[in-house]
Amino acid sequence: MEQFALDAIERITTRKRHVYDTLGVEPLTPLIGAEVSGLDLSKDLTPGQDEEIRHAFLTHHVLVFRDQNLTPDEHKRFAQLFGALHPVALPTPDSDPYVLEISANQKSRWVAGDGWHVDGTADAEPSLGSMLHVTSVPEAGSGGDTLFANMHLAYDLLSPAMKTFLTGLTALHDGALPWLRKGQSPPRGYDVPRNEHPIVVRHPDTGRQLLLVNKPYMSRITQLSETESTAVLDLLYAHVARTPLLHCRVRWQPNTLVFWDNRCVQHHAVWDYFPHARHGRRVSVRGARPQA
Ligand code: SIN
């Protein structure tokens, strides 16, 4: 590994380990993800717990809470501690506009999120983060894990020359692309979001730089020719998908809730359990426009 990459990893792994008073926080890897214990999310949090969850969230980017028996209202109430709720893009009639049901079974022909992505970057203000509460998992040994990738580290592991090249570039994110790439049209009446965001952005809470690329929604880098844009984006998508150092893997149990920072994390729901079933509910928190 190159020295600049070793330096980036060392900066993270030699950080003084924070001592938590009100929670247990066990990292999944030294670079991304942590299991948090000692909390019942259906109950009010103490100010100390609230502060420590926020600290753990900004440090580890993906928090896993086990054994959380939550109603949809309790789930939404926990999410609202972090901001107003981000509405579901295409709610079905009679569904809660803030709760996305995520289900797959033997009738499924596709599942939500089966590929590396960031949620909703075609929006002007993509969500701050999402909380997925999985209530039923495939039979033992049937998979259904979710992978997460640290996009701060994805940026840090690029060479200084590549970082300089990407700085100042912007890309178009087009909400119609997931349909168009399947030869379909977006649903009638859907006000398709399209927005341009920088490729190198700063996390609004920590100021740390990160790589904002998102294969399902990105059409092209505005300042490059189409051929150049495709080559650069393919390289960056492959960097995210093929660098296991960036990743952690969450193995779900019934009543696990995972809260991820959509501003600095990509995720990939692994659909390796067909024809078995899996069910969960996702609630998201409103975010802000990504800034360079
Ligand atoms: C998603 O939010 O993209 C789905 C995640 C999952 O089902 O694990």
Side-chain angles (χ1 to χ4, degrees):
M1 196 181 292
E2 289 87 353
Q3 190 58 45
F4 62 83
L6 292 170
D7 291 345
I9 293 166
E10 202 174 5
R11 273 197 299 277
I12 301 175
T13 52
T14 55
R15 266 188 318 221
K16 194 162 160 274
R17 195 160 170 178
H18 185 81
V19 179
Y20 291 88
D21 292 328
T22 66
L23 321 167
V25 177
E26 206 47 55
L28 296 184
T29 87
L31 300 168
I32 177 169
E35 282 222 18
V36 178
S37 57
L39 282 179
D40 178 348
L41 302 180
S42 69
K43 304 252 173 2
D44 287 337
L45 300 182
T46 65
Q49 289 169 332
D50 185 292
E51 193 183 320
E52 292 203 323
I53 289 182
R54 289 171 202 276
H55 187 282
F57 184 60
L58 294 180
T59 306
H60 298 284
H61 319 302
V62 178
L63 299 182
V64 181
F65 302 87
R66 303 285 183 192
D67 304 317
Q68 301 296 329
N69 207 342
L70 296 176
T71 64
D73 281 341
E74 288 164 344
H75 184 171
K76 286 196 289 185
R77 198 174 60 113
F78 178 53
Q80 278 166 324
L81 293 179
F82 299 87
L85 300 185
H86 184 95
V88 172
L90 283 161
T92 50
D94 306 326
S95 65
D96 185 320
Y98 296 105
V99 179
L100 179 68
E101 302 284 340
I102 295 194
S103 289
N105 56 35
Q106 79 280 8
K107 295 199 182 119
S108 302
R109 291 296 165 264
W110 58 274
V111 301
D114 181 19
W116 283 108
H117 67 286
V118 187
D119 292 331
T121 56
D123 293 347
E125 298 182 338
S127 68
L128 171 154
S130 284
M131 296 181 178
L132 176 60
H133 184 226
V134 165
T135 48
S136 67
V137 297
E139 284 171 24
S142 296
D145 300 349
T146 305
L147 308 176
F148 295 89
N150 180 336
M151 298 307 293
H152 289 301
L153 192 59
Y155 174 74
D156 292 341
L157 295 186
L158 297 173
S159 65
M162 180 54 93
K163 288 186 182 119
T164 304
F165 170 70
L166 294 175
T167 300
L169 299 184
T170 54
L172 289 173
H173 297 241
D174 182 344
L177 279 185
W179 283 277
L180 299 180
R181 284 180 178 154
K182 285 191 273 185
Q184 298 168 3
S185 302
R188 199 184 286 266
Y190 178 41
D191 186 11
V192 176
R194 287 188 180 89
N195 280 284
E196 194 165 338
H197 299 303
I199 291 193
V200 178
V201 301
R202 282 191 188 273
H203 192 287
D205 292 337
T206 63
R208 280 186 68 197
Q209 286 179 299
L210 64 114
L211 190 60
L212 175 53
V213 291
N214 194 15
K215 189 170 180 180
Y217 291 109
M218 272 170 105
S219 58
R220 64 175 290 179
I221 300 176
T222 323
Q223 296 79 6
L224 303 184
S225 71
E226 194 154 351
T227 314
E228 290 167 344
S229 167
T230 302
V232 171
L233 289 179
D234 283 349
L235 178 135
L236 297 174
Y237 300 149
H239 171 54
V240 176
R242 298 190 196 147
T243 310
L245 191 65
L246 305 177
H247 305 164
C248 70
R249 183 176 197 112
V250 172
R251 177 147 292 185
W252 299 90
Q253 295 159 3
N255 290 327
T256 299
L257 181 139
V258 174
F259 179 25
W260 67 86
D261 191 334
N262 192 49
R263 301 165 298 183
C264 62
V265 160
Q266 292 213 7
H267 57 290
H268 179 166
V270 182
W271 191 29
D272 54 359
Y273 52 91
F274 180 83
H276 298 288
R278 176 180 182 268
H279 179 256
R281 290 191 192 93
R282 198 184 82 185
V283 173
S284 300
V285 179
R286 279 180 62 175
R289 191 165 189 113
Q291 301 289 339

